[in-house]
Amino acid sequence: MAATSALTPQAIRDARAEHSTLRERDLADQLGISEAELMAAHVGEGVTCVTAELDPLFAAFERLGEVMALTRNRSCVIEKVGEYANYRSGDHAALVVNEEIDLRMFPGHWKHAFAVEKSTDKGVKRSIQVFDAAGDAVHKVHLREASNTQDWDAIVADLKLSEQSDALTVEPRKPVEGAKGDAEKADKLRAEWDKLTDTHQFMQLTRKMKMNRLGAYRIAGAPYARSLAPKSVEALLHRASEKEVPVMIFVGNAGCIEIHTGPVSRIVEMGPWINVLDPGHDLHLRKDHIAEVYAVTKSTRRGPAISVEAFDAEGALIAQFFGVLRDDDAAAGWNALMADLEDSFAEVPA
């Protein structure tokens, strides 16, 4: 059932004015509303309702030139700088694949979108922000100094919806699906796992067996899935930086997955956050949200693909880390790093 915020748009705007330094997501949480409702309350005041359909949106993103692409979930944020080149449309899944920006989009979750202009001490910040049916952020595109700001007004006009309302109706947020497995099917799961030839086949396997990712990891056991200590994730980032081992990092939500492929160099820890702060790539990960970590091996035509996958206490996937298999030296470096990581952080079942 859809629901409208108990706060009026004016009350939301008043709260925004009172807490002008708070990030939008933090203020929305404080007010007990979604981030999309906070955004909608400012329609006509620097915010414009635009289409959430992927084809026109990504045509617009490409026109903007160099931008920053941001995707997040509750525990992790990934930011990549680049251009939205090589978009591939699809009814159920769409792609952007290039060296800088690598995305997988699921259009069914792209429900609300806004073009945003915000005045700051450093000038006007412009972005296009997309949200799901519950009002949670799916994907954001932030303009930079090198972006094509000359066409901004025309782009917004092309995307603008005929109806512009400062009130937004959202649906209740779907609860996280906890681990779903069946210990009685463990032998069958392992037998089917042995037949994998591509990592993408794994989700088909879990659906067929009426499990999910975390549930399958919990019952498969070694050598398929080995439990690691939560601290293994920060150790992975530090060691990948020190040993100059390139990685693939997947961060996403139900509507979008964003991928970084390449080195991680500058690792900075700040309170509960561990951050990668590199040119063209930032990662912000809440260490204290990590409850379970698995080193997972899946067979591919190129050989075993070993990932490190982190989950929160409710069973939500936070992030996945893979090696770069297309390069033999990089793959060897990743496998050595993983062996070291497992030696240091393997958790023994109780």
Side-chain angles (χ1 to χ4, degrees), residues 10 141 149 164 184 186 207 210 269 277 284 296 302 334:
Q10 184 60 56
V141 178
T149 56
Q164 297 287 311
E184 293 184 359
R207 283 193 294 268
K210 297 182 179 180
E269 302 200 36
L277 304 177
H284 312 287
V296 183
R302 292 175 174 173
W334 174 257

Side-chain angles (χ1 to χ4, degrees), residues 225-242:
R226 289 86 66 202
S227 181
L228 303 180
K231 287 186 176 181
S232 61
V233 174
E234 59 191 280
L236 184 157
L237 290 170
H238 282 294
R239 294 181 187 186
S241 171
E242 293 162 3

Side-chain angles (χ1 to χ4, degrees), residues 187-199:
D187 288 340
K188 184 177 180 181
L189 171 65
R190 297 180 192 114
E192 294 296 320
W193 198 316
D194 286 335
K195 299 175 185 177
L196 297 177
T197 58
D198 188 287
T199 57

